[in-house]
Amino acid sequence: MLFQDVILTLQKYWADRGCVLWQPYDVEKGAGTSNPATFLRCLGPEPWNCAYVEPSRRPTDGRYGENPNRLQHYYQFQVILKPSPADPQGLYLESLRALGIDLVRHDVRFVEDDWENPSLGATGLGWEVWLDGMEVTQFTYFQQMGGFELDPVSAELTYGLERIAMFLQGVDSCYDLRWAPGVTYGQVHHEDEVEWSRYNFELADVATLRVLFDCYEAEGRRLLEADCPIPAADQVLKCSHAFNLLEARRALGTAQRTELMGRVRALARATSKGWLALRERLGHPLLRGAPAGAPVA
Amino acid sequence: MPDLLVEIGTEEIPAGYLRGAVEALAEGLRRECAAAGLGTPDVRGDSTPRRLALLARGIPATQPGSEKLVRGPTRDAAYDAGGNPTPVAQKFAAAQGVPVSALEVRETPKGAYVHAMRREGGAATLSLLPGMLERALAAVVSPKSMRWGPPGVRFARPIRSLLALFGADVVPATLAGVRASGEARGHRFLAPGPVRMGGADWEEYREKLRAARVVVETAERVRLVRGAVEASLARDGGAFTREALAEEVANLLEWPTPVEGTYDEAYLALPDAILEAAMVHHQRYFPVRGRDGKLRARFVAFADRGGDAAGEVRAGNERVLRARLSDARFFFEGDRKKPLAARVEGLREMGVQPDLGSLRDRADRVARLATRLASSPRAPAAVRALAPARIERAAQLAKADLLTEVVGEFPELQGVMGEIYARLDGEPEEVAVSIRDHYQPRAAKDPLPATPLGLLLALADRAMALAEGFALGREPTGAGDAFGLRRAAYGLLRLLREGLGAGKVSGIVHAAVAELPAGKARSAGEAKKPAIAAFLADRLSQAALDAGHPHDLVRAVIASGADEPADVFARLEALRRLAAEPGWPGLVEVVDRTKRILPKDWKPRLEMPAGLALPEEQVLQRAFDGCRGEVQRLLDARDYVPAARLYRDSLAAPVHEFFAKVFVNDPDPAVRENRLTLLSRVNRLFSERVADLALVEGVVGGAAATRSAGATA
């Protein structure tokens, strides 16, 4: 199965089950969780089922294209089921079958993993899903976001698309993945990994990043004061990414790391609060049976 | 009496939670049965990642009934003049669940009252079980629990099915929104359909689950895992060592199937610690060592499957391990480009805390403290012989591996990698070893550092942790000890007692606080010194109690002011022997009587009393003067048993005579003062150098007898 067919199959599978096919969000982020379709939408009482591909950046994971398994830019497939349905594990396993994985021949395991994202003030309980020993998915019941207890609870499924495709194609290097007929993942992305690794580890200007962090934070604060939580959420993401780049440049001591992370978390919390208030002002429109809330079946 | 069979089907519960959850559930059910008057049934529990199963044997089908006489209103209120029941009587009868005609009037000392005979209990157990199960489940506390939907429900992971049979009947229970049925669940993939049970029978349940590809008994799964690993190890003559891993793996699977794999022999060039961390901690594979103790390039993994005929599961697991090892090699080779010593400066950025500075600053503090402790006259010769430059080097390098890539990837290898890198860098062997060793003991029963340098560094590290923790106000409270100070205290005491065999707690605390940065941290530390000492004395008592010493003797030794752990244990051992001797009550009596006679606010005088006139006084003084020098010499040599015997044999009779004949509290203050001084000196020779035996309980002729004798003297 081609890399792009993995995406097409998952999109079709979850669309057929009532999910909104959301799209990648155009701000750098470490994971699909930071996309407002998850970060904001899992807050509050409104139902929300969605699925999307998320290009994700983890600057410290760059290996200059030399490591077959680590990338500073990779793809997640993210699914949010809110409220968490009666059998989310069953729905997930069915999606693996849709990808052609024989669940009797292969070993699928749910291995304890208590997830947290401290800069978003988010926590959850769940598992890593192992497929013949390889972690292919993060499966989480969100408990908190932006520091707020979540009710209802959302189930978050985060597929590692490269890993699943490597499993399906039986290749040892992500660069050897067949993306489309005649085109490999390496041909699409290898040079990106080399240059971005140089940027992340060597070239990104630390002084500029520090200034940017401060600016994004100030901008976020200003937007929240102006009662504009949706653009403020972008500033949370931008702060996080500046933070991640500073980490890659090894520019943060422990105390400063804690301090900056605390500042992102505080902004995420204030943004969450603003979003909750906004949805309340709007009268929680998705509670009134709008199409996005169609139950997953 | 029917049995009760319950299976709570869940999503995968973490392996480490299972045993506790099933035990708590069984205990909850026993408690509920007892509370409902159903006796305490024999409850057995078992678990897999996807189910908690209980069988309770022999629960009565109905609650035993009882009758209870309840007093109601007065006769006059209950019946009108014509003898007809009033609304008051009707209301009372209804409340007690009896017809009005069943009410009877009885005379009581307060007058005539209406009574009803109320029946209690007697309910069908089946109708009580839903509430009992709900409460038993609610009492299960997991290390972490979650919400997933049902209002007000928290559990380790979502509950998705429920089997509950009482005899052949389905218990009409609903737990976490799931209705009970008579069906168990089979293996998620190998036998996904429901498993219909005929009744509450453990054998039937176990065998039907086996047919549905679930081994429900944990002990059997552990045996299967262990047996498969042993068979694989046997091919290279290796021995099985990983009990804990076998238990964990067994709790991750319902149908354990071994999958053997190999990896490239080239990876054997990496340190064993890295290979084992990748296999054991990250993948839960069993590494294979041969008869020679050396790693082989193969492993045993487990799948939750019937088999792997096509080798696909093996290939997948091998691929994952290959990726991990290739990453580890990348990190290891990267780390080797720079010696460990070159990373010390980088610690300036790490672990920065207000008033204490960075890990770099801390390394300096620990180095100074260790050097100072090594020069103490109490330190063993091997420690005093350590070159200061060696101590300095080891203290500086101790935490430098926190900045290596391998430790970043495998945090559990901190210390271990430091040792490996230091050795490869050509650091002195004892320095390398001490980097790993200074984290020992991490837990109870852990071995202590093997070398004098390791012991010294471990001691300084813990003493510093305690001084820093208390100075920053991080004392352990109640059950909480977020900064690990209890563990640090426990380690420090063991290092002093078993490792160095000498060293006073007070001196070490003093030295550690003196190395805190001048200013806020040090002044806070100075103020907290008594609290640190009290905390350590408390832990020391606990350690002595854990070693089986009786609590009154532990109190007696601690009360003597002993704060050298090795010495405290030496005294306790001596007292244990002395207490077995016939002369023990006599010894206790000397210390006890000479203590009790002293007024609470009395201040001892140092000089020997003059002008003792009575013969009993003089006899006691001579006896004391006669034995004091030798007793002190024996005490200085810590020959506690002979010292105590000499003390007892010299003083028991004179003390006894003294109290029989001498009235201590003479009206003349000078005479009284002299007598108290003599007795106090007798007392202090033992109670301040060995143990305050006035705290000993239950010695014949001891405390109680002494008090009456003192009163009549």
Side-chain angles (χ1 to χ4, degrees):
Chain A
M1 183 178 270
L2 298 170
F3 186 68
Q4 64 193 23
D5 288 334
V6 176
I7 295 172
L8 288 170
T9 304
L10 289 175
Q11 286 189 339
K12 175 85 171 69
Y13 176 87
W14 287 106
D16 287 349
R17 276 151 191 81
C19 284
V20 172
L21 271 193
W22 189 264
Q23 300 297 321
Y25 195 66
D26 57 347
V27 174
E28 304 99 320
K29 70 197 77 59
T33 311
S34 302
N35 187 318
T38 296
F39 167 35
L40 296 180
R41 292 282 177 176
C42 75
L43 288 156
E46 294 168 275
W48 179 251
N49 297 295
C50 74
Y52 53 93
V53 174
E54 190 68 66
S56 305
R57 301 195 192 208
R58 304 252 169 110
T60 50
D61 278 353
R63 295 289 182 270
Y64 295 85
E66 287 170 15
N67 183 302
N69 304 292
R70 289 232 193 182
L71 304 166
Q72 57 81 42
H73 174 282
Y74 65 105
Y75 294 94
Q76 295 183 337
F77 191 86
Q78 170 89 350
V79 180
I80 289 293
L81 304 175
K82 178 191 177 189
S84 163
D87 185 16
Q89 283 187 324
L91 284 170
Y92 166 73
L93 292 169
E94 201 50 45
S95 76
L96 295 187
R97 285 193 190 96
L99 288 168
I101 298 171
D102 182 336
L103 301 182
V104 173
R105 262 179 30 212
H106 292 285
D107 188 39
V108 179
R109 304 257 290 278
F110 290 84
V111 179
E112 169 189 10
D113 186 42
D114 299 337
W115 172 89
E116 80 177 334
N117 181 331
S119 55
L120 285 183
T123 63
L125 266 65
W127 310 270
E128 300 171 358
V129 183
W130 286 12
L131 188 52
D132 291 348
M134 173 159 54
E135 181 192 346
V136 292
T137 302
Q138 193 93 35
F139 190 123
T140 307
Y141 291 98
F142 281 152
Q143 305 289 301
Q144 281 193 359
M145 180 64 79
F148 290 91
E149 285 287 321
L150 298 179
D151 186 15
V153 166
S154 303
E156 180 200 54
L157 315 179
T158 304
Y159 299 76
L161 286 174
E162 287 85 354
R163 289 179 173 210
I164 290 182
M166 284 165 74
F167 177 88
L168 289 168
Q169 296 185 13
V171 298
D172 278 354
S173 166
C174 60
Y175 297 112
D176 295 337
L177 283 173
R178 285 172 288 119
W179 183 305
V183 181
T184 66
Y185 192 98
Q187 286 167 328
V188 176
H189 273 314
H190 185 268
E191 205 48 37
D192 300 353
E193 284 299 313
V194 177
E195 287 202 3
W196 279 107
S197 293
R198 283 189 66 204
Y199 173 77
N200 297 336
F201 291 128
E202 303 167 34
L203 302 174
D205 186 63
V206 171
T208 306
L209 289 170
R210 289 189 200 275
V211 171
L212 283 176
F213 184 95
D214 292 343
C215 290
Y216 293 142
E217 187 197 29
E219 187 78 339
R221 291 284 166 198
R222 202 172 58 78
L223 289 166
L224 287 171
E225 270 167 37
D227 232 350
C228 231
I230 296 172
D234 277 25
Q235 311 309 313
V236 174
L237 270 51
K238 287 170 192 264
C239 278
S240 269
H241 187 60
F243 174 91
N244 289 341
L245 283 171
L246 284 166
E247 281 258 274
R249 296 288 282 114
R250 300 214 164 201
L252 299 179
T254 315
Q256 201 182 21
R257 187 172 191 281
T258 310
E259 185 223 317
L260 294 192
M261 194 175 277
R263 282 162 64 186
V264 184
R265 186 163 55 240
L267 191 63
R269 183 180 171 83
T271 302
S272 302
K273 198 174 160 200
W275 163 265
L276 285 167
L278 168 66
R279 298 305 292 182
E280 190 156 6
R281 271 203 310 281
L282 295 176
H284 296 133
L286 293 180
L287 278 177
R288 294 196 297 263
V296 170
Chain B
M1 290 201 290
D3 293 347
L4 171 71
L5 176 65
V6 178
E7 179 195 87
I8 298 173
T10 63
E11 297 182 1
E12 281 76 354
I13 295 179
Y17 296 9
L18 285 174
R19 184 194 291 264
V22 82
E23 277 171 8
L25 198 58
E27 184 50 40
L29 186 58
R30 273 186 220 109
R31 199 173 49 237
E32 287 296 326
C33 284
L38 296 170
T40 44
D42 172 34
V43 185
R44 67 161 298 156
D46 256 299
S47 58
T48 76
R50 295 182 68 228
R51 71 202 71 224
L52 303 175
L54 287 184
L55 184 85
R57 286 214 166 81
I59 301 179
T62 51
Q63 224 181 2
S66 64
E67 293 192 326
K68 189 177 170 192
L69 191 65
V70 183
R71 192 173 75 185
T74 60
R75 180 178 54 195
D76 295 348
Y79 297 99
D80 63 18
N84 301 309
T86 64
V88 173
Q90 284 164 355
K91 209 170 158 189
F92 171 65
Q96 300 308 316
V98 299
V100 179
S101 59
L103 295 179
E104 46 183 305
V105 175
R106 294 193 181 195
E107 290 297 331
T108 76
K110 289 181 177 171
Y113 280 82
V114 171
H115 287 72
M117 190 63 79
R118 190 174 73 188
R119 289 182 190 287
E120 290 186 329
T125 301
L126 195 62
S127 71
L128 299 174
L129 282 169
M132 292 165 60
L133 289 176
E134 202 172 314
R135 288 186 296 273
L137 183 71
V140 176
V141 179
S142 297
K144 280 189 189 167
S145 65
M146 58 171 278
R147 298 172 293 120
W148 66 94
V153 177
R154 294 189 77 95
F155 202 62
R157 287 296 184 273
I159 294 172
R160 299 299 188 193
S161 74
L162 181 62
L163 158 76
L165 285 170
F166 186 53
D169 298 323
V170 173
V171 178
T174 300
L175 295 183
V178 181
R179 278 179 66 91
S181 73
E183 291 170 349
R185 56 203 315 226
H187 190 282
R188 190 200 282 283
F189 302 111
L190 304 176
V195 180
R196 174 151 289 284
M197 304 296 303
D201 181 288
W202 184 262
E203 306 297 311
E204 179 197 351
Y205 174 67
R206 186 184 59 202
E207 294 313 314
K208 280 190 170 165
L209 279 190
R210 192 190 303 284
R213 293 295 183 264
V214 173
V215 178
V216 73
E217 293 183 3
T218 308
E220 186 184 346
R221 291 198 310 280
V222 174
R223 272 200 306 279
L224 286 168
V225 167
R226 197 191 152 119
V229 175
E230 280 173 340
S232 180
L233 289 169
R235 294 210 309 272
D236 280 309
F240 181 85
T241 54
R242 297 191 174 271
E243 300 285 350
L245 182 63
E247 177 145 342
E248 186 190 358
V249 167
N251 278 330
L252 292 169
L253 306 160
E254 299 207 297
W255 193 250
T257 306
V259 175
E260 297 191 54
T262 59
Y263 52 92
D264 188 339
E265 296 211 345
Y267 287 118
L268 290 174
L270 287 172
D272 284 7
I274 294 180
L275 296 171
E276 295 197 313
M279 284 187 270
V280 177
H281 296 152
H282 291 250
Q283 294 295 133
R284 279 86 162 196
Y285 299 164
F286 291 82
V288 174
R289 285 181 185 275
R291 193 188 311 277
D292 54 7
K294 291 209 170 79
L295 277 176
R296 302 290 188 266
R298 61 188 185 88
F299 62 89
V300 186
F302 282 83
D304 206 359
R305 280 300 168 280
D308 179 32
E312 291 164 316
V313 180
R314 189 198 70 230
N317 280 280
E318 286 178 343
R319 185 182 303 134
V320 175
L321 184 60
R322 200 150 59 226
R324 281 210 184 278
L325 293 180
S326 113
D327 230 21
R329 181 158 61 189
F330 176 82
F331 291 140
F332 181 71
E333 287 170 356
D335 284 346
R336 289 287 297 131
K337 288 177 186 155
K338 190 169 157 185
L340 194 60
R343 298 178 192 277
V344 173
E345 276 312 302
L347 292 173
R348 279 199 199 290
E349 288 286 292
M350 305 246 344
V352 178
Q353 302 190 74
D355 306 322
L356 290 177
S358 65
L359 283 187
R360 179 76 192 77
D361 302 316
R362 187 179 195 272
D364 286 340
R365 284 201 293 280
V366 171
R368 288 195 305 269
L369 176 60
T371 310
R372 191 154 150 192
L373 295 177
S375 67
S376 151
R378 292 192 168 271
V383 170
R384 282 207 309 274
L386 291 168
R390 277 286 154 85
I391 299 173
E392 169 79 21
R393 187 74 173 168
Q396 295 294 349
L397 293 180
K399 311 284 184 195
D401 68 350
L402 292 176
L403 289 169
T404 63
E405 299 285 347
V406 170
V407 172
E409 183 73 3
F410 301 97
E412 67 271 30
L413 294 183
Q414 113 184 19
V416 174
M417 291 317 298
E419 176 187 31
I420 290 168
Y421 290 136
R423 193 172 283 137
L424 289 169
D425 289 346
E427 298 287 345
E429 179 63 13
E430 67 173 341
V431 169
V433 170
S434 72
I435 294 172
R436 169 172 49 85
D437 256 10
H438 91 283
Y439 288 106
Q440 298 291 106
R442 290 172 200 254
K445 292 182 187 152
D446 259 16
L448 296 181
T451 64
L453 185 56
L455 284 169
L456 178 69
L457 201 55
L459 182 69
D461 190 64
R462 278 160 189 76
M464 191 52 74
L466 285 164
E468 290 164 349
F470 275 75
L472 292 188
R474 290 171 173 173
E475 296 88 332
T477 50
D481 182 23
F483 298 95
L485 296 185
R486 267 197 200 99
R487 203 173 47 216
Y490 171 85
L492 181 135
L493 295 170
R494 268 192 70 196
L495 288 161
L496 285 179
R497 178 164 79 90
E498 300 167 36
L500 299 174
K504 286 194 174 189
V505 166
S506 52
I508 286 163
V509 169
H510 180 80
V513 167
E515 295 300 345
L516 290 174
K520 229 162 130 187
R522 193 183 303 163
S523 55
E526 290 289 344
K528 289 281 181 65
K529 267 203 279 200
I532 304 175
F535 177 68
L536 284 165
D538 191 48
R539 303 322 296 166
L540 182 54
S541 297
Q542 193 55 50
L545 293 173
D546 291 346
H549 290 289
H551 74 98
D552 55 344
L553 291 184
V554 173
R555 276 178 63 209
V557 171
I558 298 289
S560 75
D563 83 335
E564 185 165 356
D567 188 32
V568 166
F569 276 77
R571 295 187 198 187
L572 284 166
E573 287 304 330
L575 293 176
R576 197 207 295 268
R577 284 174 59 192
L578 290 161
E581 295 180 359
W584 174 246
L587 175 63
V588 172
E589 191 181 352
V590 172
V591 182
D592 187 54
R593 296 187 77 168
T594 53
K595 173 69 171 271
R596 285 178 190 281
I597 196 72
L598 302 175
K600 285 265 175 294
D601 51 352
W602 189 76
K603 293 273 182 296
R605 277 180 7 208
L606 289 179
E607 70 276 21
M608 201 57 185
L612 295 166
L614 297 177
E616 290 79 9
E617 291 178 288
Q618 291 167 353
V619 168
L620 180 56
Q621 171 142 37
R622 272 200 302 280
F624 179 66
D625 287 339
C627 74
R628 183 169 50 131
E630 179 63 6
V631 170
Q632 275 173 342
R633 194 191 62 75
L634 289 167
L635 290 178
D636 289 343
R638 293 191 180 164
D639 280 334
Y640 290 113
V641 173
R645 284 182 190 142
L646 177 61
Y647 177 84
R648 175 193 72 204
D649 296 345
S650 311
L651 296 168
V655 165
H656 196 81
E657 283 299 300
F658 183 94
F659 279 107
K661 301 281 169 52
V662 180
F663 182 67
V664 176
N665 291 316
D666 193 271
D668 179 348
V671 172
R672 172 171 169 270
E673 203 54 18
N674 275 342
R675 290 176 180 164
L676 288 175
T677 299
L678 173 60
L679 294 174
S680 142
R681 292 183 55 119
V682 168
N683 178 271
R684 276 155 44 213
L685 180 58
F686 200 90
S687 68
E688 292 184 358
R689 297 284 316 263
V690 185
D692 181 1
L693 296 183
L695 294 167
V696 170
E697 294 161 9
V699 174
V700 183
T706 309
R707 266 192 294 279
S708 60
T712 54

